[in-house]
Amino acid sequence: MESAHSEWPSQAEETGAQVQRLEASLAHLSEKLGQASRRLEQQAAALDAEMERAEAAEEEVARLNGCLESAHQRIALLEDQVQRNEGQLQRTKVMLSVETDMVTGLRMELKETRVRLEELRGHEKPGAPPEAETEELSLRRLALQDPVSGLPNFHHGLRRLEQALTGAARAGGLVALAVVDIDRLRDLNLYLGTLVVDAILRQFASRFQAVVGPECLLTRGRDDEFWLLTSSTSAGEVGLHRVSEQLTSAIGRLVVALKRPFEAGDHSVHLSVACGIAVGKEERAGELLECASLALDESKKIQSGTAVFYQPQMREPIRTRLARVPHLRRALEHQEFELFFQPIVELESLQIQGLESLLRWNHPEEGLLLPGQFIQAAAESGVIIPIGEWVARQVCHYSQQTQPYLWSMNVCAQELVQANFMRRITRAIESAKLTHPEYLVVEVSEAGLAGDSESLLNSLQQLREWGVHIAIDDFSFDRVSLRRLSQLDVSYLKISPVVTQQLDQPLFRNLVGGAVLTAECLGCKVVAEGVEQMEQLEILRELGCHWGQGHLLQPPASLEEIWELLG
């Protein structure tokens, strides 16, 4: 019993020690819990501070977005202002050009009037014989006369137009101007020669003058144009009907007179015309001429010999073109451009030789747009440069995947004269890892080669040094010489669809035949565009044309369709 009782103190001590240890552990845990609580409080405070900063950041982002939206609105307003200014500048340039020509004509007329006065007064210049004075008077008169047609020339016509408008403004009347353009005159110059065409123009002017009434004035205009001017002292419906009837009747009689062919040497030629008419009373000469020219453009789209009156909506394409500029700048960023491709085939075997890239714009509101609906706006605004670089990268990439097919891309003169043009092309070639640049073709229009730009020619020569081929688009001998073609080392001459679609006429068959002979001399090939009928294909084969493209052979297709076609 004693031994059992003796163990109690030791057990009590051990229990007390355990209690102490538990209490120490509890205190330690309590301290850790306090520390954890303090850390949680600190983290909560930090989180609250972070949330405050996040809220402040969101407010700042919202403020910046508001500023950005305001900036976009200001940019849009500025772009609209730029468009209006560009349109106004273009109209001012036209007006200035017309006014300059008119001033030149007035100066010549003033000199002629002075000489006539001197002649009437019997005044002789000291030391100048009468023969010299008569010769000077003849020169003055010739200065206001078209040497080919014998009609009053462009300067004289401008002066009379300005006088008629001034008189109409004073009397409250109307002035009407018809601008008549002879179709295909450039082709005739090429085929028949200048001397023969001049003889035909003299006959044309004579027939035209014969059908013009005494109330109208016929003059020679710009290039292939003739102008017919009339006026009325009455305004309103009466005056409008009078001047309209006078011009349309004269044009109708001219169309009848043109049914008879013109004879010049061994040549017999039929001519047709387009006509645009504008009526005004308070406009300047340049403004009325611009309106008549817009109507002329519309007349060329329809049946020959149809007179078209100017309507304000004819300016809509110009406004639309200017309005497209800001959208074009964003189209590249939004990846709205797409390439379609039209196969180029060998006419005998109908085997595909290459593909021409055709740009399309997937407009978010207007749908798929063709180049004719936006390329001019892109060129005028300079957006054509980055668009062209994008096209080059795409074409180089596709070429690397499909050799040995040729891939062609259209390049405008504005791109070729850029100092960094070759750098952009080489960058596109290197980016695509294109190992054979000789499967690339750069197409430039014949009109683009009309100037003597050294930078343009250097760019084309550098392309040839890289192995890239050159094609002349819309070729017709009209603006580029054989010497220039040989300098450029051209690989392809592409015949315009306008020529291809009129191969039933001897003139256009001879044009294609001449192009084939030229190609043989230069060591290149002829490609006919716009082949749409079997008869055209047969004629092209007979003439020795090498390649062709058109809906009869293969219409333009998407990239996916081209991959399937090429297999």
Side-chain angles (χ1 to χ4, degrees), residues 36 40 74 95 143 148 273 319 334 353 358 406 431 434 444 486 497 506 521 525 536 538:
L40 285 174
R74 288 196 296 272
M95 291 288 296
V148 175
V273 295
R319 287 192 288 267
H334 298 167
Q353 305 297 317
L358 305 171
L406 294 168
S431 174
L434 185 60
V444 57
S486 62
C521 296
K525 296 183 183 297
Q536 296 168 353
E538 294 299 331

Side-chain angles (χ1 to χ4, degrees), residues 79-97 284 286-287 290 315 318-319 321-323 380:
E79 287 177 341
D80 291 339
Q81 184 63 40
V82 168
Q83 292 174 30
R84 290 193 294 271
N85 290 343
E86 286 177 348
Q88 183 62 39
L89 178 60
Q90 186 64 29
R91 289 191 293 272
T92 302
K93 286 181 178 178
V94 173
M95 291 288 296
L96 182 59
S97 174
R284 302 290 296 275
E287 293 173 335
E290 182 185 6
R315 294 187 182 275
I318 300 175
R319 287 192 288 267
R321 189 168 67 246
L322 292 174
E380 292 174 351

Side-chain angles (χ1 to χ4, degrees), residues 335-411:
Q335 299 180 344
E336 295 172 5
F337 289 113
E338 179 182 2
L339 288 178
F340 277 57
F341 304 90
Q342 185 167 38
I344 303 170
V345 306
E346 202 275 327
L347 293 183
E348 289 297 334
S349 65
L350 298 182
Q351 294 295 311
I352 296 177
Q353 305 297 317
L355 302 113
E356 179 183 359
S357 56
L358 305 171
L359 186 64
R360 302 289 187 265
W361 180 9
N362 288 304
H363 196 284
E365 298 175 0
E366 301 180 51
L368 194 66
L369 300 182
L370 300 177
Q373 298 173 280
F374 63 88
I375 281 295
Q376 186 176 355
E380 292 174 351
S381 63
V383 185
I384 193 68
I385 305 301
I387 292 176
E389 186 171 2
W390 176 82
V391 170
R393 289 199 304 269
Q394 302 300 310
V395 170
C396 289
H397 176 70
Y398 301 144
S399 176
Q400 177 62 22
Q401 301 179 56
T402 58
Q403 296 170 6
Y405 292 105
L406 294 168
W407 289 75
S408 73
M409 53 185 171
N410 292 275
V411 177

Side-chain angles (χ1 to χ4, degrees), residues 147-223:
V148 175
S149 64
L151 296 173
N153 65 11
F154 172 75
H155 300 294
H156 189 89
L158 273 177
R159 181 182 65 83
R160 295 297 297 271
L161 177 58
E162 187 69 32
Q163 290 175 346
L165 286 167
T166 301
R170 290 174 180 171
L174 295 173
V175 174
L177 173 67
V179 177
V180 178
D181 184 85
I182 301 176
D183 298 330
R184 307 192 325 270
L185 195 60
R186 290 179 180 174
D187 295 332
L188 290 173
N189 265 314
L190 170 64
Y191 178 52
L192 301 176
T194 304
L195 293 178
V196 175
V197 171
D198 284 352
I200 293 174
L201 282 176
R202 282 190 286 272
Q203 296 178 50
F204 176 87
S206 178
R207 287 193 198 178
F208 200 168
Q209 186 69 71
V211 300
V212 171
E215 67 282 351
C216 297
L217 172 68
L218 177 64
T219 73
R220 187 72 188 270
R222 301 167 296 192
D223 300 326

Side-chain angles (χ1 to χ4, degrees), residues 418-429:
Q418 295 292 316
N420 61 349
F421 171 76
M422 278 307 301
R423 187 160 63 249
R424 294 199 305 272
I425 293 296
T426 54
R427 191 162 55 226
I429 291 174

Side-chain angles (χ1 to χ4, degrees), residues 438-541:
E438 62 269 23
Y439 292 121
L440 285 180
V441 181
V442 167
E443 296 190 19
V444 57
S445 69
E446 184 183 51
L449 296 174
D452 293 321
S453 171
E454 184 177 347
S455 57
L456 183 147
L457 298 179
N458 287 340
S459 293
L460 293 176
Q461 289 167 353
Q462 290 178 52
L463 286 172
R464 290 300 293 126
E465 291 171 3
W466 268 75
V468 179
H469 294 284
I470 306 298
I472 307 301
D473 201 14
D474 293 331
F475 178 73
S476 66
F477 295 101
D478 190 25
R479 302 190 179 187
V480 61
S481 64
L482 293 178
R483 182 180 63 84
R484 174 67 61 82
L485 290 175
S486 62
Q487 288 176 338
L488 296 176
D489 190 15
V490 172
S491 300
Y492 306 98
L493 303 178
K494 302 194 71 174
I495 303 299
S496 168
V498 175
V499 175
T500 304
Q501 291 163 13
Q502 300 184 73
L503 286 174
D504 57 326
Q505 300 183 33
L507 170 63
F508 293 97
R509 288 199 297 272
N510 288 332
L511 283 174
V512 176
V516 172
L517 292 175
T518 301
E520 291 177 357
C521 296
L522 296 173
C524 61
K525 296 183 183 297
V526 175
V527 184
E529 297 182 284
V531 183
E532 298 181 353
Q533 300 174 6
M534 195 64 195
E535 293 79 3
Q536 296 168 353
L537 176 60
E538 294 299 331
I539 293 173
L540 290 168
R541 284 171 170 170

